[in-house]
Amino acid sequence: ETGVTQSPTHLIKTRGQQVTLRCSSQSGHNTVSWYQQALGQGPQFIFQYYREEENGRGNFPPRFSGLQFPNYSSELNVNALELDDSALYLCASSSQRGTSTDTQYFGPGTRLTVL
Amino acid sequence: AQSVTQLDSHVSVSEGTPVLLRCNYSSSYSPSLFWYVQHPNKGLQLLLKYTSAATLVKGINGFEAEFKKSETSFHLTKPSAHMSDAAEYFCVVRGWVGNDMRFGAGTRLTVKP
Protein backbone atom coordinates (compact mmCIF):
# COMPACT_ATOMS: atom_id res chain seq x y z
CA GLU A 1 0.00 0.00 0.00
CA THR A 2 1.46 3.34 -1.06
CA GLY A 3 1.24 6.17 1.43
CA VAL A 4 0.61 9.86 0.79
CA THR A 5 3.34 11.49 -1.27
CA GLN A 6 4.01 15.18 -1.90
CA SER A 7 6.19 17.09 -4.31
CA PRO A 8 8.39 18.99 -4.31
CA THR A 9 10.07 18.54 -0.93
CA HIS A 10 11.36 22.08 -0.76
CA LEU A 11 10.61 25.21 -2.75
CA ILE A 12 11.89 28.78 -2.70
CA LYS A 13 9.85 31.57 -4.29
CA THR A 14 9.80 35.35 -4.18
CA ARG A 15 6.94 37.63 -3.16
CA GLY A 16 4.25 37.98 -5.80
CA GLN A 17 5.03 34.72 -7.54
CA GLN A 18 2.69 31.77 -7.88
CA VAL A 19 3.32 28.20 -6.69
CA THR A 20 1.77 24.78 -7.25
CA LEU A 21 2.20 21.95 -4.77
CA ARG A 22 1.23 18.36 -5.55
CA CYS A 23 -0.12 15.47 -3.54
CA SER A 24 -0.85 11.84 -4.34
CA SER A 25 -3.36 10.28 -2.00
CA GLN A 26 -3.04 6.90 -0.35
CA SER A 27 -4.39 4.00 -2.37
CA GLY A 28 -8.17 3.66 -1.93
CA HIS A 29 -8.65 7.18 -0.55
CA ASN A 30 -10.97 9.64 -2.29
CA THR A 31 -10.62 12.68 -0.04
CA VAL A 32 -7.67 15.05 0.20
CA SER A 33 -7.18 17.82 2.76
CA TRP A 34 -4.52 20.52 2.78
CA TYR A 35 -2.99 22.16 5.83
CA GLN A 36 -0.53 24.98 6.43
CA GLN A 37 1.92 24.58 9.32
CA ALA A 38 3.83 27.72 10.19
CA LEU A 39 7.04 27.32 12.16
CA GLY A 40 6.36 26.37 15.78
CA GLN A 41 2.61 26.04 15.30
CA GLY A 42 0.05 23.34 14.70
CA PRO A 43 -1.33 22.72 11.22
CA GLN A 44 -4.18 24.94 10.04
CA PHE A 45 -6.89 23.57 7.73
CA ILE A 46 -6.90 25.18 4.27
CA PHE A 47 -9.50 23.13 2.39
CA GLN A 48 -10.64 19.65 1.49
CA TYR A 49 -11.51 17.99 -1.83
CA TYR A 50 -13.82 15.05 -2.31
CA ARG A 51 -14.34 13.52 -5.74
CA GLU A 52 -12.98 16.61 -7.47
CA GLU A 53 -15.20 19.09 -5.59
CA GLU A 54 -14.19 21.44 -2.78
CA ASN A 55 -15.81 20.07 0.37
CA GLY A 56 -14.96 22.67 2.96
CA ARG A 57 -12.59 25.55 3.50
CA GLY A 58 -10.75 27.10 6.42
CA ASN A 59 -9.96 30.75 6.98
CA PHE A 60 -7.69 31.28 3.99
CA PRO A 61 -8.06 33.89 1.21
CA PRO A 62 -9.15 33.01 -2.33
CA ARG A 63 -5.58 33.18 -3.62
CA PHE A 64 -5.28 29.72 -2.07
CA SER A 65 -7.01 27.37 -4.49
CA GLY A 66 -6.94 23.72 -5.32
CA LEU A 67 -7.83 20.92 -7.65
CA GLN A 68 -8.50 17.25 -7.35
CA PHE A 69 -8.11 14.92 -10.31
CA PRO A 70 -10.03 11.77 -11.26
CA ASN A 71 -7.29 9.62 -9.73
CA TYR A 72 -7.82 11.61 -6.46
CA SER A 73 -4.43 13.28 -6.56
CA SER A 74 -4.54 16.97 -5.77
CA GLU A 75 -2.84 20.32 -6.27
CA LEU A 76 -2.64 23.36 -4.03
CA ASN A 77 -2.09 26.65 -5.84
CA VAL A 78 -1.11 29.87 -4.13
CA ASN A 79 -1.09 33.13 -6.08
CA ALA A 80 0.54 36.43 -5.21
CA LEU A 81 2.81 34.88 -2.60
CA GLU A 82 3.41 36.78 0.62
CA LEU A 83 6.21 36.38 3.14
CA ASP A 84 3.74 34.91 5.65
CA ASP A 85 3.01 32.07 3.25
CA SER A 86 6.36 30.56 4.21
CA ALA A 87 5.41 27.30 5.93
CA LEU A 88 5.24 23.53 5.70
CA TYR A 89 2.27 22.51 3.55
CA LEU A 90 0.80 19.16 4.46
CA CYS A 91 -1.53 17.01 2.46
CA ALA A 92 -3.69 14.33 4.07
CA SER A 93 -5.89 11.71 2.49
CA SER A 94 -8.80 9.73 3.89
CA SER A 95 -11.64 7.50 2.80
CA GLN A 96 -14.56 8.57 5.00
CA ARG A 97 -15.28 12.14 4.03
CA GLY A 98 -16.46 14.42 6.76
CA THR A 99 -17.49 11.68 9.17
CA SER A 100 -16.56 11.69 12.81
CA THR A 101 -14.43 8.60 12.32
CA ASP A 102 -12.58 10.02 9.34
CA THR A 103 -8.88 9.32 9.88
CA GLN A 104 -6.50 11.43 7.87
CA TYR A 105 -3.11 10.12 6.80
CA PHE A 106 -0.48 12.75 6.18
CA GLY A 107 2.28 13.13 3.65
CA PRO A 108 5.78 14.39 4.54
CA GLY A 109 4.96 17.94 3.45
CA THR A 110 6.41 20.59 1.16
CA ARG A 111 8.55 23.30 2.77
CA LEU A 112 7.82 26.61 1.03
CA THR A 113 10.06 29.60 1.62
CA VAL A 114 8.99 32.98 0.30
CA LEU A 115 11.73 35.61 0.03
CA ALA B 1 -16.97 25.41 17.91
CA GLN B 2 -14.42 22.77 18.66
CA SER B 3 -10.88 23.43 19.85
CA VAL B 4 -8.08 21.85 21.83
CA THR B 5 -5.57 23.26 24.27
CA GLN B 6 -2.29 21.50 24.90
CA LEU B 7 -1.29 22.52 28.38
CA ASP B 8 2.47 22.15 27.99
CA SER B 9 4.54 23.46 25.11
CA HIS B 10 7.55 21.39 26.21
CA VAL B 11 7.88 18.25 28.34
CA SER B 12 11.21 16.71 29.29
CA VAL B 13 11.56 13.21 30.75
CA SER B 14 14.34 10.72 31.35
CA GLU B 15 14.50 7.52 29.35
CA GLY B 16 12.50 4.78 31.09
CA THR B 17 10.25 7.16 33.04
CA PRO B 18 6.54 7.79 32.36
CA VAL B 19 5.30 10.30 29.82
CA LEU B 20 2.23 12.52 30.30
CA LEU B 21 1.16 14.99 27.60
CA ARG B 22 -1.95 16.97 28.52
CA CYS B 23 -4.80 18.02 26.27
CA ASN B 24 -8.13 19.66 27.06
CA TYR B 25 -10.84 19.96 24.46
CA SER B 26 -13.89 22.09 23.80
CA SER B 27 -16.66 20.80 21.57
CA SER B 28 -20.33 21.48 21.01
CA TYR B 29 -20.89 17.86 20.05
CA SER B 30 -19.59 14.48 21.10
CA PRO B 31 -16.08 14.82 19.79
CA SER B 32 -13.66 12.63 17.93
CA LEU B 33 -10.16 13.12 19.31
CA PHE B 34 -6.77 12.17 17.93
CA TRP B 35 -3.12 12.29 18.84
CA TYR B 36 -0.54 12.68 16.09
CA VAL B 37 3.25 12.65 16.35
CA GLN B 38 5.64 14.57 14.12
CA HIS B 39 9.32 13.68 14.04
CA PRO B 40 11.74 16.28 12.65
CA ASN B 41 11.38 16.76 8.91
CA LYS B 42 8.69 14.10 8.77
CA GLY B 43 4.94 14.13 8.23
CA LEU B 44 2.33 13.55 10.90
CA GLN B 45 1.77 10.00 12.08
CA LEU B 46 -1.45 8.90 13.78
CA LEU B 47 -0.83 7.56 17.29
CA LEU B 48 -4.41 6.85 18.34
CA LYS B 49 -8.01 8.06 18.06
CA TYR B 50 -11.13 8.20 20.20
CA THR B 51 -14.49 7.92 18.46
CA SER B 52 -17.00 7.34 21.32
CA ALA B 53 -16.21 3.67 21.85
CA ALA B 54 -13.98 2.69 24.80
CA THR B 55 -12.77 5.68 26.81
CA LEU B 56 -9.28 4.20 27.20
CA VAL B 57 -7.66 4.10 23.79
CA LYS B 58 -4.51 2.19 23.01
CA GLY B 59 -2.28 3.35 20.20
CA ILE B 60 0.99 2.49 18.58
CA ASN B 61 4.40 2.36 20.28
CA GLY B 62 2.93 1.81 23.75
CA PHE B 63 0.99 5.08 23.92
CA GLU B 64 -2.53 5.32 25.27
CA ALA B 65 -5.02 8.08 26.06
CA GLU B 66 -8.07 8.31 28.26
CA PHE B 67 -11.16 10.31 27.29
CA LYS B 68 -12.65 12.01 30.38
CA LYS B 69 -15.85 13.85 29.54
CA SER B 70 -16.27 15.32 33.03
CA GLU B 71 -12.82 16.91 32.79
CA THR B 72 -12.95 17.57 29.00
CA SER B 73 -9.52 15.98 28.79
CA PHE B 74 -7.72 13.54 26.52
CA HIS B 75 -4.25 13.15 28.00
CA LEU B 76 -1.61 11.00 26.29
CA THR B 77 0.51 8.64 28.39
CA LYS B 78 3.24 6.06 28.04
CA PRO B 79 4.63 4.01 30.94
CA SER B 80 8.27 4.16 29.88
CA ALA B 81 9.83 6.70 27.53
CA HIS B 82 12.25 5.69 24.83
CA MET B 83 14.77 7.92 23.11
CA SER B 84 12.89 7.44 19.83
CA ASP B 85 9.79 9.07 21.39
CA ALA B 86 11.42 12.50 21.19
CA ALA B 87 9.20 14.46 18.79
CA GLU B 88 6.35 17.00 18.55
CA TYR B 89 2.93 15.72 19.61
CA PHE B 90 -0.38 17.21 18.50
CA CYS B 91 -3.82 16.76 20.02
CA VAL B 92 -6.61 17.13 17.44
CA VAL B 93 -10.40 17.44 17.68
CA ARG B 94 -13.10 16.93 15.06
CA GLY B 95 -16.77 17.68 15.40
CA TRP B 96 -19.58 15.26 14.66
CA VAL B 97 -20.32 16.92 11.35
CA GLY B 98 -17.68 18.46 9.17
CA ASN B 99 -14.22 18.01 7.81
CA ASP B 100 -12.23 20.54 9.79
CA MET B 101 -9.57 19.02 12.05
CA ARG B 102 -8.46 21.47 14.72
CA PHE B 103 -4.89 21.00 15.93
CA GLY B 104 -3.44 22.11 19.23
CA ALA B 105 -0.24 24.13 19.28
CA GLY B 106 1.81 21.02 19.97
CA THR B 107 3.95 19.66 22.81
CA ARG B 108 7.63 19.03 22.22
CA LEU B 109 8.78 15.92 24.07
CA THR B 110 12.45 15.66 24.96
CA VAL B 111 13.84 12.35 26.26
CA LYS B 112 17.09 12.50 28.22
CA PRO B 113 19.41 9.50 28.40
Side-chain angles (χ1 to χ4, degrees):
Chain A
E1 185 178 86
T2 305
V4 179
T5 61
Q6 293 186 243
S7 62
T9 306
H10 295 90
L11 205 51
I12 298 175
K13 292 285 188 178
T14 56
R15 269 191 312 174
Q17 284 189 311
Q18 179 264 343
V19 69
T20 297
L21 310 181
R22 294 178 176 83
C23 170
S24 291
S25 59
Q26 187 167 311
S27 176
H29 287 181
N30 55 22
T31 303
V32 172
S33 304
W34 286 92
Y35 294 81
Q36 180 195 67
Q37 185 178 17
L39 199 60
Q41 298 182 22
Q44 302 270 325
F45 175 70
I46 303 175
F47 45 56
Q48 182 181 85
Y49 278 83
Y50 170 69
R51 293 186 175 178
E52 304 178 59
E53 297 286 332
E54 187 177 291
N55 186 49
R57 189 179 185 90
N59 189 26
F60 281 81
R63 60 189 184 84
F64 285 79
S65 63
L67 282 174
Q68 188 179 33
F69 300 100
N71 66 356
Y72 303 132
S73 65
S74 177
E75 288 183 354
L76 164 65
N77 299 290
V78 187
N79 294 322
L81 283 167
E82 302 177 359
L83 296 179
D84 285 349
D85 296 334
S86 294
L88 180 68
Y89 288 84
L90 295 163
C91 166
S93 74
S94 59
S95 59
Q96 294 178 287
R97 173 186 65 102
T99 66
S100 64
T101 55
D102 183 6
T103 299
Q104 298 190 6
Y105 296 90
F106 286 80
T110 293
R111 173 74 61 189
L112 173 64
T113 301
V114 182
L115 303 176
Chain B
Q2 55 270 40
S3 65
V4 291
T5 302
Q6 293 184 244
L7 301 176
D8 308 289
S9 59
H10 184 212
V11 169
S12 181
V13 301
S14 297
E15 191 175 20
T17 64
V19 175
L20 170 64
L21 305 183
R22 298 182 295 165
C23 174
N24 286 351
Y25 71 89
S26 173
S27 178
S28 305
Y29 329 102
S30 180
S32 292
L33 293 159
F34 305 78
W35 278 97
Y36 281 86
V37 61
Q38 187 174 38
H39 288 93
N41 300 315
K42 296 284 182 67
L44 291 155
Q45 181 183 19
L46 178 68
L47 280 177
L48 50 80
K49 65 179 181 181
Y50 166 77
T51 55
S52 76
T55 57
L56 182 62
V57 183
K58 294 188 182 299
I60 62 171
N61 300 334
F63 284 95
E64 63 181 38
E66 186 171 8
F67 174 75
K68 291 187 176 180
K69 186 176 180 179
S70 61
E71 298 176 10
T72 61
S73 69
F74 190 57
H75 301 334
L76 182 70
T77 60
K78 182 173 181 177
S80 176
H82 191 273
M83 295 296 291
S84 61
D85 294 328
E88 190 86 17
Y89 290 79
F90 292 96
C91 182
V92 185
V93 66
R94 285 174 53 87
W96 181 251
V97 176
N99 43 39
D100 179 14
M101 294 185 76
R102 300 289 181 94
F103 283 75
T107 297
R108 179 166 299 277
L109 176 65
T110 300
V111 182
K112 298 175 290 186

